[in-house]
Amino acid sequence: MLNALTTGFTKDALLELSRQKGEPEWMLQKRLQAWEHYEQTPAPLGRRGDLGTLQNLSRFKFQELKPFVPAPDTALPPAIQQSLQESLVNERSGLIVQHNSSVVYIHLNDELKAQGVILTDLETAVREYPELVQEHFMTKCVPATASKYTALHAAFWTGGFFLYVPSGVEIEAPILAQVWVDSSASAIFSHSLVIAESQSSTRFVQEFTSSVEAEHPSLVSDVVEVIAKREAMVEFSNLQDLDQHTWLITNKNATHENDASVTFVMADLGAQLNLNSIGAGLQGNGCAAELVGVFFTDHNQRYAINTLSDHVGVSTNAETMIKGVLTDESRVEFDGMIRIHKDAQQTASFLAAHGLLLSKKARGEFIPGLEIAANDVSASHGATTGQIDEEQLFYLMVRGIARPEAERIIVQGFFEPVLQRIPLENLRIRLRRSIISRMSGESATEADTWVDAQERWEIEGVDEGAIYLDDSTRPQSDDIELSEY
């Protein structure tokens, strides 16, 4: 059993971690190079006039964290077993569980094993499949030098998930990965490396939950790398429901070869602070990417969400749709970018982000962007943020609907178009219940709440058109106007 490291991030702690794991020299050198970059790179502070999420993160006391916390060498705790029973996936092809810094459970169907599918922890993959890991681990998809925080992750990663799908293999039932955090003042690093060979397909579902009670919060550093080879199809769904004593830094990206397709589904409900970067590297010709994101913030949560559709190949397609609700004194910064390189002709790319504020004290900034260097493209982007339209509320209330329920109906109508695009049914149900619980303060079944309200907003015609900043920006139709270039 590995020993816990002393508090604080140092080069000596890095060397001890690598020694305990018995890592090959190439991985140790990668860690050391990443550590050097971390020490030399200043913490990002954001831009002038933003909502201060990056500045808050820069003041986080990283040196008070324990870099490595091994899980007890016992059976899965009852809390984790209960979480597995309530997981997003009822029927699954495999299961892998990380408790704090260690992977404690792995299972893969025998049929998939016989076809050459590999599901294991990343530490084992480093030893048994070094060629695959050395080629792809934090090289091109999410480089270790992408930021100060990715460098820290590359230097101190532990646990993690490794999935390899051979050419032509199709995995129908999802593979579930769970990360459970219950250690206070700890840094938990989770790394997912998914390699889908040509003409293969897979569905990967990841859940983050935590139960941390301490004066100093814990940190979760998550990196996801999806390598989609020629004509591969990958669907990656993530539900993050960490508690308010946990901070989160996550970087997700996918690289696409010719005609590959990757879908990211992101649902963010928890964490005190969430720095979330999601990208799609569309290098191959004819490849496609999709990002569907939902969030709900309350209390004094801070979110910074950055997306990038990076078009390099010819005839690529990408679509990003983010929707979220802000309550209490929460803050959300969204910065989305469509980047089309000069040879990326015949590109089609779409970006939309919409925020709904339920509190006068909540603040949201939603900023879409375009960088276009080709001339045969179709690129559209749009963003809205604002309070619920009082006229819409009045329209419902004069029909005998109390204001709290009227707000809930509008919120559900706001979310439903993007929820319908989430392919995993259990995730849709879980999100609906969480939204109802956040708004009403009590748990309720989906059937008794969401469906009834959904029928009402469909009848009343309440949708995202209920949100506007002032009369000059209020949509004149049900469709949000987009700028096309």
PDB file of all heavy atoms in Angstrom, residues 88 205 237-239 265-267 419 422-432:
ATOM      1  N   LEU A  88     -25.749   6.934 -12.825  1.00  0.00           N
ATOM      2  CA  LEU A  88     -26.431   7.314 -14.058  1.00  0.00           C
ATOM      3  C   LEU A  88     -26.648   6.140 -14.997  1.00  0.00           C
ATOM      4  O   LEU A  88     -27.425   6.232 -15.935  1.00  0.00           O
ATOM      5  CB  LEU A  88     -25.613   8.386 -14.780  1.00  0.00           C
ATOM      6  CG  LEU A  88     -25.373   9.694 -14.029  1.00  0.00           C
ATOM      7  CD1 LEU A  88     -24.488  10.603 -14.854  1.00  0.00           C
ATOM      8  CD2 LEU A  88     -26.678  10.371 -13.689  1.00  0.00           C
ATOM      9  N   VAL A 205     -19.089   7.317 -19.249  1.00  0.00           N
ATOM     10  CA  VAL A 205     -19.837   8.164 -18.320  1.00  0.00           C
ATOM     11  C   VAL A 205     -19.011   8.339 -17.056  1.00  0.00           C
ATOM     12  O   VAL A 205     -18.560   7.359 -16.453  1.00  0.00           O
ATOM     13  CB  VAL A 205     -21.206   7.553 -17.976  1.00  0.00           C
ATOM     14  CG1 VAL A 205     -21.954   8.452 -16.995  1.00  0.00           C
ATOM     15  CG2 VAL A 205     -22.029   7.344 -19.238  1.00  0.00           C
ATOM     16  N   SER A 237     -19.877  11.570 -21.277  1.00  0.00           N
ATOM     17  CA  SER A 237     -20.808  12.312 -20.425  1.00  0.00           C
ATOM     18  C   SER A 237     -20.211  12.473 -19.042  1.00  0.00           C
ATOM     19  O   SER A 237     -19.597  11.546 -18.506  1.00  0.00           O
ATOM     20  CB  SER A 237     -22.157  11.580 -20.328  1.00  0.00           C
ATOM     21  OG  SER A 237     -22.754  11.440 -21.600  1.00  0.00           O
ATOM     22  N   ASN A 238     -20.404  13.651 -18.461  1.00  0.00           N
ATOM     23  CA  ASN A 238     -19.818  13.943 -17.154  1.00  0.00           C
ATOM     24  C   ASN A 238     -20.832  14.652 -16.274  1.00  0.00           C
ATOM     25  O   ASN A 238     -21.440  15.639 -16.693  1.00  0.00           O
ATOM     26  CB  ASN A 238     -18.563  14.817 -17.324  1.00  0.00           C
ATOM     27  CG  ASN A 238     -17.951  15.216 -15.999  1.00  0.00           C
ATOM     28  OD1 ASN A 238     -18.365  16.191 -15.385  1.00  0.00           O
ATOM     29  ND2 ASN A 238     -16.963  14.477 -15.548  1.00  0.00           N
ATOM     30  N   LEU A 239     -21.018  14.123 -15.067  1.00  0.00           N
ATOM     31  CA  LEU A 239     -21.851  14.780 -14.059  1.00  0.00           C
ATOM     32  C   LEU A 239     -20.975  15.148 -12.873  1.00  0.00           C
ATOM     33  O   LEU A 239     -20.369  14.273 -12.246  1.00  0.00           O
ATOM     34  CB  LEU A 239     -22.995  13.880 -13.598  1.00  0.00           C
ATOM     35  CG  LEU A 239     -23.809  14.410 -12.403  1.00  0.00           C
ATOM     36  CD1 LEU A 239     -24.497  15.728 -12.758  1.00  0.00           C
ATOM     37  CD2 LEU A 239     -24.823  13.377 -11.926  1.00  0.00           C
ATOM     38  N   VAL A 265     -20.918  15.705 -23.124  1.00  0.00           N
ATOM     39  CA  VAL A 265     -22.099  16.143 -22.386  1.00  0.00           C
ATOM     40  C   VAL A 265     -21.642  16.493 -20.984  1.00  0.00           C
ATOM     41  O   VAL A 265     -21.169  15.632 -20.245  1.00  0.00           O
ATOM     42  CB  VAL A 265     -23.183  15.053 -22.338  1.00  0.00           C
ATOM     43  CG1 VAL A 265     -24.370  15.539 -21.508  1.00  0.00           C
ATOM     44  CG2 VAL A 265     -23.637  14.677 -23.741  1.00  0.00           C
ATOM     45  N   MET A 266     -21.755  17.774 -20.618  1.00  0.00           N
ATOM     46  CA  MET A 266     -21.260  18.257 -19.339  1.00  0.00           C
ATOM     47  C   MET A 266     -22.417  18.765 -18.487  1.00  0.00           C
ATOM     48  O   MET A 266     -23.218  19.591 -18.942  1.00  0.00           O
ATOM     49  CB  MET A 266     -20.266  19.402 -19.550  1.00  0.00           C
ATOM     50  CG  MET A 266     -19.048  19.057 -20.402  1.00  0.00           C
ATOM     51  SD  MET A 266     -17.961  17.884 -19.582  1.00  0.00           S
ATOM     52  CE  MET A 266     -18.285  16.417 -20.572  1.00  0.00           C
ATOM     53  N   ALA A 267     -22.509  18.268 -17.261  1.00  0.00           N
ATOM     54  CA  ALA A 267     -23.519  18.720 -16.310  1.00  0.00           C
ATOM     55  C   ALA A 267     -22.807  19.122 -15.023  1.00  0.00           C
ATOM     56  O   ALA A 267     -22.239  18.266 -14.330  1.00  0.00           O
ATOM     57  CB  ALA A 267     -24.533  17.616 -16.041  1.00  0.00           C
ATOM     58  N   LEU A 419     -31.744  19.762 -22.560  1.00  0.00           N
ATOM     59  CA  LEU A 419     -31.831  18.452 -21.914  1.00  0.00           C
ATOM     60  C   LEU A 419     -32.250  17.374 -22.902  1.00  0.00           C
ATOM     61  O   LEU A 419     -31.801  16.233 -22.812  1.00  0.00           O
ATOM     62  CB  LEU A 419     -32.824  18.502 -20.747  1.00  0.00           C
ATOM     63  CG  LEU A 419     -32.421  19.346 -19.531  1.00  0.00           C
ATOM     64  CD1 LEU A 419     -33.503  19.282 -18.460  1.00  0.00           C
ATOM     65  CD2 LEU A 419     -31.098  18.869 -18.966  1.00  0.00           C
ATOM     66  N   ILE A 422     -29.435  15.531 -24.562  1.00  0.00           N
ATOM     67  CA  ILE A 422     -28.571  14.646 -23.784  1.00  0.00           C
ATOM     68  C   ILE A 422     -28.996  13.213 -24.046  1.00  0.00           C
ATOM     69  O   ILE A 422     -30.125  12.832 -23.739  1.00  0.00           O
ATOM     70  CB  ILE A 422     -28.657  14.979 -22.285  1.00  0.00           C
ATOM     71  CG1 ILE A 422     -28.139  16.391 -22.033  1.00  0.00           C
ATOM     72  CG2 ILE A 422     -27.884  13.965 -21.455  1.00  0.00           C
ATOM     73  CD1 ILE A 422     -28.245  16.852 -20.600  1.00  0.00           C
ATOM     74  N   PRO A 423     -28.127  12.385 -24.616  1.00  0.00           N
ATOM     75  CA  PRO A 423     -28.544  11.033 -25.016  1.00  0.00           C
ATOM     76  C   PRO A 423     -28.791  10.090 -23.850  1.00  0.00           C
ATOM     77  O   PRO A 423     -29.541   9.117 -23.992  1.00  0.00           O
ATOM     78  CB  PRO A 423     -27.377  10.540 -25.880  1.00  0.00           C
ATOM     79  CG  PRO A 423     -26.207  11.364 -25.449  1.00  0.00           C
ATOM     80  CD  PRO A 423     -26.750  12.688 -25.027  1.00  0.00           C
ATOM     81  N   LEU A 424     -28.206  10.353 -22.674  1.00  0.00           N
ATOM     82  CA  LEU A 424     -28.330   9.445 -21.545  1.00  0.00           C
ATOM     83  C   LEU A 424     -29.582   9.802 -20.744  1.00  0.00           C
ATOM     84  O   LEU A 424     -29.653  10.847 -20.096  1.00  0.00           O
ATOM     85  CB  LEU A 424     -27.079   9.538 -20.662  1.00  0.00           C
ATOM     86  CG  LEU A 424     -26.857   8.438 -19.634  1.00  0.00           C
ATOM     87  CD1 LEU A 424     -26.678   7.080 -20.313  1.00  0.00           C
ATOM     88  CD2 LEU A 424     -25.643   8.757 -18.775  1.00  0.00           C
ATOM     89  N   GLU A 425     -30.576   8.918 -20.766  1.00  0.00           N
ATOM     90  CA  GLU A 425     -31.857   9.215 -20.138  1.00  0.00           C
ATOM     91  C   GLU A 425     -31.722   9.432 -18.634  1.00  0.00           C
ATOM     92  O   GLU A 425     -32.335  10.343 -18.068  1.00  0.00           O
ATOM     93  CB  GLU A 425     -32.850   8.078 -20.411  1.00  0.00           C
ATOM     94  CG  GLU A 425     -34.228   8.323 -19.802  1.00  0.00           C
ATOM     95  CD  GLU A 425     -35.198   7.198 -20.086  1.00  0.00           C
ATOM     96  OE1 GLU A 425     -34.777   6.211 -20.734  1.00  0.00           O
ATOM     97  OE2 GLU A 425     -36.352   7.290 -19.663  1.00  0.00           O
ATOM     98  N   ASN A 426     -30.935   8.590 -17.963  1.00  0.00           N
ATOM     99  CA  ASN A 426     -30.782   8.743 -16.522  1.00  0.00           C
ATOM    100  C   ASN A 426     -30.156  10.078 -16.147  1.00  0.00           C
ATOM    101  O   ASN A 426     -30.449  10.638 -15.084  1.00  0.00           O
ATOM    102  CB  ASN A 426     -29.934   7.588 -15.962  1.00  0.00           C
ATOM    103  CG  ASN A 426     -30.725   6.312 -15.821  1.00  0.00           C
ATOM    104  OD1 ASN A 426     -31.894   6.262 -16.193  1.00  0.00           O
ATOM    105  ND2 ASN A 426     -30.109   5.280 -15.295  1.00  0.00           N
ATOM    106  N   LEU A 427     -29.284  10.603 -16.991  1.00  0.00           N
ATOM    107  CA  LEU A 427     -28.697  11.909 -16.723  1.00  0.00           C
ATOM    108  C   LEU A 427     -29.751  13.002 -16.843  1.00  0.00           C
ATOM    109  O   LEU A 427     -29.779  13.940 -16.038  1.00  0.00           O
ATOM    110  CB  LEU A 427     -27.537  12.171 -17.682  1.00  0.00           C
ATOM    111  CG  LEU A 427     -26.830  13.521 -17.537  1.00  0.00           C
ATOM    112  CD1 LEU A 427     -26.361  13.743 -16.106  1.00  0.00           C
ATOM    113  CD2 LEU A 427     -25.657  13.623 -18.510  1.00  0.00           C
ATOM    114  N   ARG A 428     -30.634  12.886 -17.825  1.00  0.00           N
ATOM    115  CA  ARG A 428     -31.720  13.860 -17.947  1.00  0.00           C
ATOM    116  C   ARG A 428     -32.597  13.847 -16.702  1.00  0.00           C
ATOM    117  O   ARG A 428     -32.963  14.894 -16.167  1.00  0.00           O
ATOM    118  CB  ARG A 428     -32.562  13.560 -19.190  1.00  0.00           C
ATOM    119  CG  ARG A 428     -31.842  13.763 -20.507  1.00  0.00           C
ATOM    120  CD  ARG A 428     -32.831  13.871 -21.653  1.00  0.00           C
ATOM    121  NE  ARG A 428     -33.649  12.668 -21.788  1.00  0.00           N
ATOM    122  CZ  ARG A 428     -33.346  11.636 -22.546  1.00  0.00           C
ATOM    123  NH1 ARG A 428     -32.217  11.648 -23.258  1.00  0.00           N
ATOM    124  NH2 ARG A 428     -34.146  10.590 -22.631  1.00  0.00           N
ATOM    125  N   ILE A 429     -32.940  12.649 -16.228  1.00  0.00           N
ATOM    126  CA  ILE A 429     -33.775  12.532 -15.032  1.00  0.00           C
ATOM    127  C   ILE A 429     -33.076  13.120 -13.818  1.00  0.00           C
ATOM    128  O   ILE A 429     -33.673  13.852 -13.022  1.00  0.00           O
ATOM    129  CB  ILE A 429     -34.143  11.052 -14.791  1.00  0.00           C
ATOM    130  CG1 ILE A 429     -35.030  10.536 -15.931  1.00  0.00           C
ATOM    131  CG2 ILE A 429     -34.841  10.876 -13.446  1.00  0.00           C
ATOM    132  CD1 ILE A 429     -35.305   9.046 -15.867  1.00  0.00           C
ATOM    133  N   ARG A 430     -31.790  12.786 -13.670  1.00  0.00           N
ATOM    134  CA  ARG A 430     -31.024  13.285 -12.525  1.00  0.00           C
ATOM    135  C   ARG A 430     -30.952  14.804 -12.540  1.00  0.00           C
ATOM    136  O   ARG A 430     -31.101  15.463 -11.498  1.00  0.00           O
ATOM    137  CB  ARG A 430     -29.616  12.681 -12.575  1.00  0.00           C
ATOM    138  CG  ARG A 430     -28.666  13.132 -11.483  1.00  0.00           C
ATOM    139  CD  ARG A 430     -28.806  12.319 -10.226  1.00  0.00           C
ATOM    140  NE  ARG A 430     -27.652  12.530  -9.371  1.00  0.00           N
ATOM    141  CZ  ARG A 430     -26.577  11.753  -9.357  1.00  0.00           C
ATOM    142  NH1 ARG A 430     -26.511  10.685 -10.140  1.00  0.00           N
ATOM    143  NH2 ARG A 430     -25.583  12.001  -8.541  1.00  0.00           N
ATOM    144  N   LEU A 431     -30.742  15.391 -13.699  1.00  0.00           N
ATOM    145  CA  LEU A 431     -30.656  16.843 -13.793  1.00  0.00           C
ATOM    146  C   LEU A 431     -31.999  17.501 -13.488  1.00  0.00           C
ATOM    147  O   LEU A 431     -32.058  18.516 -12.785  1.00  0.00           O
ATOM    148  CB  LEU A 431     -30.171  17.249 -15.180  1.00  0.00           C
ATOM    149  CG  LEU A 431     -28.697  16.972 -15.478  1.00  0.00           C
ATOM    150  CD1 LEU A 431     -28.389  17.242 -16.944  1.00  0.00           C
ATOM    151  CD2 LEU A 431     -27.803  17.824 -14.590  1.00  0.00           C
ATOM    152  N   ARG A 432     -33.069  16.937 -13.991  1.00  0.00           N
ATOM    153  CA  ARG A 432     -34.390  17.505 -13.712  1.00  0.00           C
ATOM    154  C   ARG A 432     -34.681  17.494 -12.216  1.00  0.00           C
ATOM    155  O   ARG A 432     -35.169  18.477 -11.652  1.00  0.00           O
ATOM    156  CB  ARG A 432     -35.454  16.727 -14.481  1.00  0.00           C
ATOM    157  CG  ARG A 432     -35.445  16.989 -15.978  1.00  0.00           C
ATOM    158  CD  ARG A 432     -36.276  15.970 -16.712  1.00  0.00           C
ATOM    159  NE  ARG A 432     -36.329  16.242 -18.148  1.00  0.00           N
ATOM    160  CZ  ARG A 432     -36.667  15.346 -19.058  1.00  0.00           C
ATOM    161  NH1 ARG A 432     -36.959  14.107 -18.693  1.00  0.00           N
ATOM    162  NH2 ARG A 432     -36.707  15.671 -20.336  1.00  0.00           N
TER     163      ARG A 432
END
